[in-house]
Amino acid sequence: MEFSSLFKLPIIQGPMAGGATTPELVAAVSNAGALGSFAGSLLAPAALRTAVERIRGLTTQPFLLNFFVQRTPTPSPDEIRQGAELLRPVWESLGWTELPQPKQWCEDFDAQFDTLLELRPAAASFTFGILDAVQVERLHAAGILTIGTVTTVEEALAWQSIGADAVIASGIEAGGHRGTFIGRQEDATLTAHELWPAVAQAVSIPVIAAGNIMNGADIRQALALGASAVQMGTAFLVTDESGIHPAYKQRLIEAEGQPTRQTRSFSGRYARGIENRFMRQMASVEAQVPPYPVQNALTGSIRAAAAKNNDTELMSLWAGTGVARARPMPAKQLIELLASELQS
């Protein structure tokens, strides 16, 4: 399968982990002529199979599965204690006497990868790291197009060198987690309009533009800067089919005047979201928190309590810089609107 055959419209719905990309959202996007993406990174193999079965029950069109490239960490008891201590002001504000210990740090990537090969979606995208050439060959042998997420030209060249079919060039404006895997995350500061043409010039494979793309005019601009397609996340978070918490969705809809910024305090990896009390409370120590996925697991109980209490001040409100321009509506209607704007 060729990259261009994945969609009729050059629009990919971003694969946002944590329940945002429901099978209904993925299928609605693909059925409307764009490419739906399902975030598999936080799911065990059995849950992945169930979700893909549901997607295939709703669409016969191509869709994409996304994963975090990572190894399961083995933090020391001291590291875990220190991480919990840094979070003390937050969990004490919930009336807790201690921070609950996570049951696991992350899902097993090798098991996810084997499941991906078994499920054979049209494409798979990866972030937080890079595969090796053998893994890419295995994906190709299973008929799966391989797409890497990059924040620098060097990362794009690395993915091209191992046989990737395309790269997602994610500018600093993009919501959610940064995909940086070469060098320090803090150093990957290129804006979308700097990164897209630089990557397009450097590689011979298709470039997918990401970062502050909210309407048809933004898509046209990305294509003019050398992209073959765009990936839009925040725009789809407010669609009817998005699976995010209702209070989180409402914060996005009312985001006018609310700043977004990057933080590593929720997960141990830099990610952009709407600023809230958790970010402010952790700002002085966020450089010290354990790396992803340990911090992500440590804050899991806090975020779960916040969801139960409808408390958006302790939720991770991932969103890009263009969040105030997000338009709530059914996903099919959003794709149709984007298509009409793209042609106007």
Side-chain angles (χ1 to χ4, degrees), residues 268-280:
R269 175 176 270 271
Y270 280 100
R272 181 176 295 281
I274 292 176
E275 189 175 81
N276 60 4
R277 179 164 64 86
F278 183 97
M279 279 198 208
R280 290 188 291 271

Side-chain angles (χ1 to χ4, degrees), residues 8-83:
K8 297 182 183 72
L9 295 162
I11 300 167
I12 300 171
Q13 158 252 312
M16 300 157 288
T21 55
T22 61
E24 290 73 20
L25 174 60
V26 176
V29 170
S30 288
N31 283 335
L35 182 67
S37 301
F38 184 77
S41 43
L42 303 182
L43 300 181
L48 278 170
R49 291 187 189 99
T50 300
V52 168
E53 185 180 356
R54 175 72 180 147
I55 294 167
R56 286 189 164 132
L58 296 168
T59 185
T60 58
Q61 299 304 308
F63 61 90
L64 175 154
L65 296 182
N66 171 265
F67 296 93
F68 299 159
V69 181
Q70 61 186 345
R71 299 265 73 84
T72 303
T74 53
S76 69
D78 273 354
E79 288 171 307
I80 298 166
R81 271 195 298 273
Q82 286 165 12

